[in-house]
Amino acid sequence: MKAPSSHPSQTLDSGRSSLVLRLRSGRLSLRLDGRTFILTLVLLGLIASLAVLSLLSGKYPIAPSQVLWTLAGRGEDMVRMIVVEWRLPRVALAILLGAALGTSGAIFQSLTRNPLGSPDIIGFSAGSYTGALLVILMASGGYCETALGALVGGIVTATAVYLLAWREGVQGFRLIIVGIGVAAMLSAFNAWMIREADLQVAMAAAIWGAGSLNGLGTEQLRPVALALCILLPLTLLLSRPMRQLELGEEIACASGVNAGRSRLLLMVLGVALTALVTATAGPISFIALCAPQIARRLTRSSGVALLSSGLTGGLLLLSADWAAQHALGQQLPVGVMTVSIGGFYFLFLLIREGRK
């Protein structure tokens, strides 16, 4: 057995070059194969480039050099107000919320071992939306109350779906079928609540329900960033048990993984990530569904990777938000664009399966 080292080591894993980093304690290690490492750098570069494009785009056009000077703290006051105070928080929120959706989708697709196992398909997003709507329509709650309602709604829905799908264990396909049914019922209930509410409140709730980053700023960015600083590292710490669970519960238990506890923790983290997005920007569809599968095809990995899925989700939501603001000549909710992305994704899958 090799002694643990604090220095990176280059190894070969199934014919693919890997970079392995281990701490001196030997309890924590990070493995990145060469293709995943290159893809991570490419995704970061694309996100940075698109972020700069988003910062310079708008009714008040700004040159790229002015954006860079402003970010360096040397811009004019007017440009600084537009870039730093108005546009930058929205760009940062798009990246962070997209990363949360991509990571959440990766968790549930891994647990169900099915590419349809994303929170917006199996009802968890609808449950978070129901909890948030109850707070908005009945208690006129603010951001913190809405976030708590979304989290409780998501957890209650996840528990109900899990119990309804239980038959001496939970199979991924049964969980998806039960989740689709629960999502349909909750969507009907949400539509009824909006219909019965006061007109002004109902219109605001319906616009928010489309999924939108309009009007969001520093006030929402700070709690989102703080929450993700807690949720994302906890999720990455559970990446190894998650990959072991993909091989089956018996193999996971034989390798020393507590399958029940790991699955429960992963589900709670996935629901919390979904609820955070729903409470902040409303239910944004298809990012959690598309991002993990796109990342998996780009990395050509056998399983769903959390890091690449999160980065892909951030890139997709940032792209959709830029298109919603500038591509069609009028500002639209970002949820409209993500639904379009999801439609093209399903069309691609149909064509791909047809060719097979």
Side-chain angles (χ1 to χ4, degrees), residues 1-5 9-12 22 24 26:
M1 181 179 295
K2 295 183 179 180
S5 172
S9 61
Q10 190 76 15
T11 66
L12 280 180
R22 293 188 179 89
R24 291 186 182 277

Side-chain angles (χ1 to χ4, degrees), residues 330-350:
Q330 59 180 341
Q331 196 170 73
L332 298 173
V334 69
V336 175
M337 299 306 300
T338 59
V339 168
S340 301
I341 293 174
F344 283 117
Y345 175 72
F346 276 122
L347 181 62
F348 163 75
L349 287 183
L350 287 174

Side-chain angles (χ1 to χ4, degrees), residues 191-238:
W192 176 82
M193 281 197 296
I194 293 176
R195 181 179 179 276
E196 296 296 318
D198 180 74
L199 179 60
Q200 186 175 0
V201 178
M203 289 180 62
I207 293 173
W208 176 80
S212 176
L213 299 177
N214 298 337
L216 301 184
T218 307
E219 182 181 356
Q220 292 79 24
L221 176 60
R222 289 173 180 171
V224 167
L226 179 61
L228 291 181
C229 284
I230 299 173
L231 294 175
L232 291 180
L234 289 176
T235 305
L236 291 175
L237 286 176
L238 291 172

Side-chain angles (χ1 to χ4, degrees), residues 43 46-47 50 54 91 93-99 101-103 109 213 284-295 298 308-324 334-335 337-342 344-345:
L43 288 174
L46 291 174
I47 289 173
L50 190 56
S54 300
V91 169
L93 278 170
I95 297 171
L96 293 177
L97 295 180
L101 287 172
T103 305
Q109 289 181 20
L213 299 177
I284 299 176
S285 303
F286 288 110
I287 297 294
L289 175 69
C290 299
Q293 292 304 309
I294 293 174
L298 291 174
S308 55
S309 297
L311 291 175
T312 304
L315 179 62
L316 286 177
L317 188 55
L318 185 59
S319 304
D321 186 51
W322 183 89
V334 69
M337 299 306 300
T338 59
V339 168
S340 301
I341 293 174
F344 283 117
Y345 175 72

Side-chain angles (χ1 to χ4, degrees), residues 116 121-123 161 175-185:
L116 292 177
I121 297 295
I122 57 181
V161 171
L175 185 72
I176 292 171
I177 295 300
V178 172
I180 290 174
V182 171
M185 290 188 292

